[in-house]
């Protein structure tokens, strides 16, 4: 099992910055991907950014150059630094973790409860 604890989010003015963090805990043997998705009202959930088990990063085209994701492997924590925020970034952001358990190598796939990011003046 894996448990995700999200932090950050809130209200920010256009052009501002926010930092989201997600700590994973549990019977984690390895990580395949750890990152953030978002879902705006009336829209599908989409990938924002993730770090793969090999240390590669993937970003949505809409956030490239503005968002930066990093992972602390020792703490199983991923952080998303969001800059130059605009109204299109308003959404509920969900942490997502995929990996393998120490228990027989079982597949782990978990979502956090979500944290709201509201970009508004």
């Amino acid at each position: 099992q894996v448990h995700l604890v999200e932090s950050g989010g809130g209200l920010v003015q256009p052009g501002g910055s926010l930092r989201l963090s997600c700590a994973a805990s549990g019977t984690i043997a390895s990580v395949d991907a750890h990152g953030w998705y978002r879902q705006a009202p009336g829209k599908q959930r989409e990938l924002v950014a993730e770090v793969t088990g090999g240390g590669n990063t993937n970003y949505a085209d809409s956030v490239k150059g503005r968002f930066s994701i990093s992972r602390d492997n020792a703490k199983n924590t991923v952080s998303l630094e969001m800059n130059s925020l605009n109204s299109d970034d308003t959404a509920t952001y969900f942490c997502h973790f995929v990996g393998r358990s120490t228990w027989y190598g079982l597949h782990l796939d978990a979502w956090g409860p979500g944290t709201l990011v509201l970009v508004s003046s």
Side-chain angles (χ1 to χ4, degrees), residues 33-86:
H34 193 181
W36 290 92
Y37 283 69
R38 68 186 180 186
Q39 187 168 19
K43 294 187 178 181
Q44 289 188 329
R45 190 172 297 189
E46 62 174 1
L47 172 69
V48 178
E50 67 177 2
V51 181
T52 68
N56 296 319
T57 55
N58 298 311
Y59 293 93
D61 288 342
S62 60
V63 307
K64 286 180 180 177
R66 300 188 298 122
F67 290 12
S68 178
I69 192 167
S70 60
R71 191 172 194 278
D72 184 329
N73 292 324
K75 296 181 179 179
N76 273 325
T77 298
V78 67
S79 296
L80 181 67
E81 190 72 36
M82 305 184 293
N83 300 311
S84 301
L85 287 161
N86 58 62

Side-chain angles (χ1 to χ4, degrees), residues 2-9 18-26 28 31 33-37 49-51 68-82 93-98 109-115:
V2 60
H3 180 59
L4 303 178
V5 176
E6 302 165 340
S7 60
L18 277 178
R19 182 181 179 89
L20 304 181
S21 292
C22 174
S25 62
I28 299 170
V31 179
H34 193 181
W36 290 92
Y37 283 69
E50 67 177 2
V51 181
S68 178
I69 192 167
S70 60
R71 191 172 194 278
D72 184 329
N73 292 324
K75 296 181 179 179
N76 273 325
T77 298
V78 67
S79 296
L80 181 67
E81 190 72 36
M82 305 184 293
Y93 285 67
F94 297 90
C95 181
H96 185 228
F97 178 95
V98 180
D109 191 333
W111 292 91
T115 184

